């Protein structure tokens, strides 16, 4: 599953080095807006402009494929409703996470932490996330440049339900701006970085979802599900999350 996520062309976006300039980031968001389709801001008097082109080039994002998630083929959505389901019943496209098989709960959490940052949707799988999970699972090409940049634009739009995210990626973009004084970089807040350890924590949480029994961690550690996932995970890819 990690491999399919990486194969979608998100390798650089999800795996970019974790530099974190907290003060600059705070100022970036405080002053940001969208002007003519470009994300603009000011940091210490320096004008910042992030166009979709710069964004896509920096993170080597694919620009071919679906720009609208409602275009995910209906037959694949139908298949996904069975494939993702923990039971023999099909799940609906906006379902509860506990209705999904463990692997897809995990994929949903990763999407929620790395791509969408919406308040209050962590236990439910939203329609958008379901569509995206379907696209990733069935290798449907997605115009990631368009999709991710649209989310960034939403983040800087006042009154949007989209929470602020992409902290690491924004720091990478800021670092590329000549002459911009960013101050000291510091380590990214640990609970907000998706490492093997946090993934394991998600696994434990997800295995508990929907069961009454409180599984103790040592037992959970030995379950085959988790082993299968960690073995599949490419060792060379460090997936960093940009939730802020
Ligand atoms: C940008 O945000 C900072 C921090 O909120 C503020 O002090 C500064 O005046 C803002 N700059 C502009 C140009 O709005
Ligand atoms: C990807 O989406 C952008 C709009 O965000 C568009 O300009 C670009 O042409 C799209 N790529 C392709 C190959 O259609």
């Amino acid at each position: 599953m990690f491999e399919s996520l990486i194969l979608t062309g998100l390798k650089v976006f999800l795996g970019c080095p974790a530099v974190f300039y907290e003060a600059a980031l705070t100022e970036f968001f405080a002053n940001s807006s969208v002007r003519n389709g470009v994300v603009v801001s000011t940091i210490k008097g320096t004008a910042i402009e992030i166009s979709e082109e710069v964004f896509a080039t920096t993170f080597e994002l694919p620009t071919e494929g679906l720009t609208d998630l409602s275009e995910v083929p209906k037959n694949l959505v139908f298949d996904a409703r069975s494939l993702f389901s923990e039971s023999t019943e099909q799940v609906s496209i906006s379902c509860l996470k506990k209705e999904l098989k463990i692997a897809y709960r995990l994929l949903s959490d990763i999407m929620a932490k790395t791509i969408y940052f919406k308040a209050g949707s962590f236990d439910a799988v939203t329609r958008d996330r379901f569509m995206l999970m379907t696209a990733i699972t069935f290798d449907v090409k997605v115009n990631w440049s368009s999709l991710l940049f649209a989310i960034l634009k939403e983040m800087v739009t006042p009154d949007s339900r989209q929470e602020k995210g992409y902290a690491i990626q924004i720091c990478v973009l800021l670092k590329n701006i000549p002459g911009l004084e960013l101050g000291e970089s510091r380590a990214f807040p640990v609970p907000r970085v998706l490492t093997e350890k946090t993934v394991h924590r998600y696994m434990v949480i997800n295995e508990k979802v929907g069961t009454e029994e409180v599984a103790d961690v040592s037992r959970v550690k030995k379950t085959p599900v988790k082993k299968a996932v960690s073995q599949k995970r490419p060792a060379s890819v460090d997936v960093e999350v940009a939730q802020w």
Side-chain angles (χ1 to χ4, degrees):
M1 201 187 59
F2 271 103
E3 270 165 284
S4 12
L5 196 56
I6 295 310
L7 286 177
T8 56
L10 295 181
K11 189 169 184 286
V12 179
F13 186 79
L14 295 178
C16 64
V19 285
F20 188 54
Y21 303 97
E22 193 174 16
L25 199 59
T26 305
E27 198 167 336
F28 170 83
F29 276 120
N31 302 324
S32 60
S33 61
V34 179
R35 200 185 301 144
N36 300 325
V38 174
V39 172
V40 296
S41 186
T42 330
I43 296 176
K44 293 185 180 160
T46 304
I48 315 291
E49 288 195 4
I50 305 172
S51 64
E52 183 174 333
E53 201 188 349
V54 165
F55 184 75
T57 310
T58 306
F59 302 110
E60 299 169 25
L61 293 169
T63 56
E64 310 246 312
L66 301 185
T67 49
D68 182 349
L69 290 174
S70 62
E71 291 163 19
V72 174
K74 292 208 167 42
N75 61 319
L76 297 183
V77 176
F78 186 85
D79 291 350
R81 290 176 53 205
S82 302
L83 179 68
F84 296 173
S85 178
E86 167 101 310
S87 73
T88 50
E89 310 243 310
Q90 283 200 313
V91 287
S92 79
I93 55 170
S94 21
C95 58
L96 289 175
K97 214 172 66 178
K98 67 179 180 194
E99 297 172 70
L100 304 182
K101 290 191 184 97
I102 294 276
Y104 299 101
R105 287 181 205 171
L106 194 57
L107 182 57
S108 170
D109 282 1
I110 292 168
M111 308 261 90
K113 289 271 178 193
T114 57
I115 294 173
Y116 293 110
F117 305 86
K118 279 199 177 137
S121 60
F122 208 61
D123 284 330
V125 180
T126 58
R127 182 187 166 280
D128 278 357
R129 226 184 296 149
F130 194 96
M131 292 301 179
L132 204 49
M133 284 162 64
T134 304
I136 290 167
T137 304
F138 293 104
D139 294 325
V140 176
K141 278 201 156 87
V142 172
N143 184 333
W144 285 102
S145 166
S146 165
L147 190 102
L148 298 175
F149 194 70
I151 295 170
L152 178 66
K153 283 192 289 189
E154 228 188 301
M155 276 175 205
V156 303
T157 301
D159 303 326
S160 150
R161 280 194 63 228
Q162 182 67 58
E163 288 186 16
K164 314 268 184 277
Y166 299 167
I168 293 172
Q169 290 85 353
I170 293 168
C171 288
V172 168
L173 290 163
L174 296 179
K175 221 179 144 197
N176 289 345
I177 296 174
L180 181 62
E181 190 52 63
L182 288 169
E184 284 284 292
S185 148
R186 60 177 188 82
F188 202 70
V190 173
R192 287 167 180 183
V193 176
L194 188 65
T195 58
E196 205 164 335
K197 213 166 148 192
T198 21
V199 168
H200 287 182
R201 205 164 53 86
Y202 285 158
M203 293 294 299
V204 173
I205 292 167
N206 278 308
E207 282 175 358
K208 283 185 193 166
V209 170
T211 61
E212 295 302 311
E213 164 206 350
V214 180
D216 87 76
V217 176
S218 58
R219 188 194 64 81
V220 173
K221 252 185 199 154
K222 290 185 188 106
T223 62
V225 177
K226 183 170 162 186
K227 272 196 195 125
V229 171
S230 36
Q231 274 163 11
K232 270 192 210 133
R233 183 169 185 258
S236 62
V237 182
D238 236 341
V239 187
E240 308 283 0
V241 178
Q243 179 159 32
W244 182 46

